[in-house]
Amino acid sequence: MEQQFSPKPHRLYLWLGTVMCVAYVIGFIPLANFFPPPSPSWDSARLTAWIVEHRLGIQLACVLMILGGTVCGPWGAALAVWTRKTESRFPLLYATQLSSLGSGVCIIIIVNIFWAAAAYRAGETSPEVTQALWDLGWFLFVFAVPPFIVWFVSFALGILWNPPEHQLFPRWSAYMTLALCLNWITDVVVIFFKGGQWTYVGFIGMWLIFGTFSVWVSVMSFLGFKAVSRQEQICRQEAAEDVPHDHPSAASRIRANTPTPE
């Protein structure tokens, strides 16, 4: 029985997905002016001059995106918990989700640390050093997708292998998640390009992954809210069934949990 289910923390953590996306969009576009970002084909002097010109916006964006990226942890945990019953006493997929999720959160934070470090002394230190820090930030942002792929695959398998009585996420959401993994694995090729759409600032190399991840967060948050509502309904039904039928409140509980004919 799961009569102690409390929906409030689940809904709170699911809302953090929206906070994460909004924080990153605001930081990425209006503050850091990453629309479009500097091309990796720029020389170090040109890049440094651009960073100096946009220093304050980049620094504010990094602070906002670090805060937004941090809440990816509780948001991801609010999804992972729904696949916990897949494995009973030996939750390997569940543990993999949490460990890879933690790695992903660290990457999100370190990305912004490198960008912030590049902006911190831009114009004061060697332009080559500034450019190296800048490139490291972008490589982490795009190139370091494997932990996210491990997270996604574990989550998708947790959905597909969940027993029918605990299946609160539709199977198509698992297939959508696996399809995103196939799309993202190609981003490792950004290390070979400095121009075109396969660079770390190109449409295929960066914007596609940025956009699809945002859509995935929105879809899974919506499905997460539906799962919480469904679990509330299950708990009410279980509570009504546990009350003896001769108990004064039994009839009223049963009536409250009986669907109204349409």
Side-chain angles (χ1 to χ4, degrees), residues 89-90 124 129 175 185 205 225:
R89 294 166 53 197
F90 306 100
E124 300 175 19
V129 172
Y175 295 126
I185 196 65
F225 282 118

Side-chain angles (χ1 to χ4, degrees), residues 9 15 22 33 65-66 95 105 110 167 186-187 217 246 248 251:
W15 275 115
V22 170
N33 200 29
M65 290 190 292
I66 283 177
V105 172
I110 295 174
Q167 188 73 260
T186 60
D187 287 326
V217 170
D246 58 351

Side-chain angles (χ1 to χ4, degrees), residues 111-197:
V111 164
N112 291 281
I113 290 176
F114 276 118
W115 286 337
Y120 184 66
R121 294 195 186 278
E124 300 175 19
T125 188
S126 166
E128 287 76 17
V129 172
T130 299
Q131 187 177 46
L133 291 171
W134 192 255
D135 285 344
L136 281 170
W138 281 104
F139 277 128
L140 279 172
F141 185 70
V142 177
F143 189 64
V145 294
F148 291 92
I149 291 176
V150 172
W151 168 26
F152 276 33
V153 170
S154 301
F155 179 64
L157 293 179
I159 294 174
L160 294 175
W161 293 344
N162 239 344
E165 64 270 20
H166 300 304
Q167 188 73 260
L168 296 180
F169 278 76
R171 295 176 65 84
W172 63 259
S173 64
Y175 295 126
M176 177 188 70
T177 302
L178 293 174
L180 289 183
C181 294
L182 294 176
N183 172 50
W184 290 2
I185 196 65
T186 60
D187 287 326
V188 296
V189 303
V190 298
I191 196 173
F192 301 108
F193 296 91
K194 294 183 181 178
Q197 296 304 313

